[in-house]
Amino acid sequence: MEPWKQLDKEYLVDAPWLKVAKEKCELPNGKVIDDFYTLWQPDWVLILARTAEGKWVMTEQYRHGSGQIALEFPAGILDKGESPEQAALRELQEEVAFCGTHENVKYLGVYPVNPDRHRGKFHVVFIDNVVKGGSTHFDSNEDIESRELSDEELQKKIADGTFNHPLQIAGYFKWKLATRAL
């Protein structure tokens, strides 16, 4: 099996937070696709933060794409030159006013957002024994509330669809698998 050859690319949207490209591609069998559309958004970090009491630190915020208030783990865009671990510690403080230490940070991996058409990636970082401290620092378009859920409560919310972000569920499942291996 061979990858496709990109023959041409035209950006239909070229903004800092989103790029949409129309690509002309040649398949290994010689067939040419004139209009394959791809998306790009900045890489981001998913933060699985757990308190010493075993509670997951969660956020609730409005998500315009779904038109709903969403229950999520904290997450955020990686700044230029920032490692996923550094971004996780920074975003945790900014979004929910929790602090973690470098020795309690575990990098769980990087995954494609959607390998079919999306060029963005997300990193999964687990931070254990986080503590409340400091204050939040929201971006101008953020309005975030924080909650703490036990593992049992979180699993119930996954089962009933209250917690329904598929990439975040995948990150949580990756953590579950990694902790079984320890």
Side-chain angles (χ1 to χ4, degrees):
M1 187 166 297
E2 296 177 33
W4 297 359
K5 292 179 189 169
Q6 185 182 93
L7 304 176
D8 193 27
K9 179 193 295 188
E10 172 189 0
Y11 282 107
L12 306 176
V13 175
D14 191 359
W17 303 108
L18 176 70
K19 296 182 189 319
V20 179
K22 177 182 174 185
E23 299 179 5
K24 182 176 184 177
C25 302
E26 182 181 349
L27 281 58
N29 66 7
K31 179 181 177 180
V32 174
I33 299 174
D34 291 319
D35 58 350
F36 192 89
Y37 296 91
T38 57
L39 302 170
W40 171 90
Q41 289 176 290
D43 291 352
W44 57 279
V45 62
L46 169 62
I47 307 152
L48 306 175
R50 188 173 64 178
T51 67
E53 297 78 33
K55 301 269 188 160
W56 292 108
V57 177
M58 308 294 294
T59 65
E60 285 187 314
Q61 59 186 310
Y62 174 73
R63 293 302 193 185
H64 193 62
S66 66
Q68 297 178 342
I69 305 295
L71 177 65
E72 301 175 341
F73 286 109
I77 303 292
L78 273 70
D79 288 342
K80 186 175 182 170
E82 189 175 45
S83 73
E85 296 89 343
Q86 291 167 327
L89 290 167
R90 176 184 53 76
E91 287 284 349
L92 186 65
Q93 174 64 54
E94 289 177 3
E95 289 194 352
V96 291
F98 272 81
C99 304
T101 60
H102 289 283
E103 56 269 3
N104 290 331
V105 173
K106 181 173 175 62
Y107 183 75
L108 298 177
V110 60
Y111 304 94
V113 171
N114 177 351
D116 180 42
R117 294 187 182 268
H118 202 291
R119 297 244 164 83
K121 296 178 288 204
F122 74 103
H123 302 263
V124 181
V125 174
F126 171 63
I127 309 174
D128 209 7
N129 297 311
V130 299
V131 295
K132 192 80 168 156
S135 58
T136 56
H137 304 283
F138 299 144
D139 292 339
S140 62
N141 61 340
E142 290 181 317
D143 181 19
I144 301 170
E145 293 182 13
S146 64
R147 300 176 59 172
E148 295 176 35
L149 299 176
S150 69
D151 201 56
E152 182 180 326
E153 291 169 321
L154 177 59
Q155 289 181 32
K156 285 181 182 176
K157 296 208 177 283
I158 292 170
D160 73 15
T162 304
F163 179 66
N164 60 12
H165 192 304
L167 300 179
Q168 293 202 0
I169 293 169
Y172 171 76
F173 187 62
K174 174 62 178 167
W175 172 82
K176 290 290 260 185
L177 292 173
T179 58
R180 287 184 183 176
L182 298 176

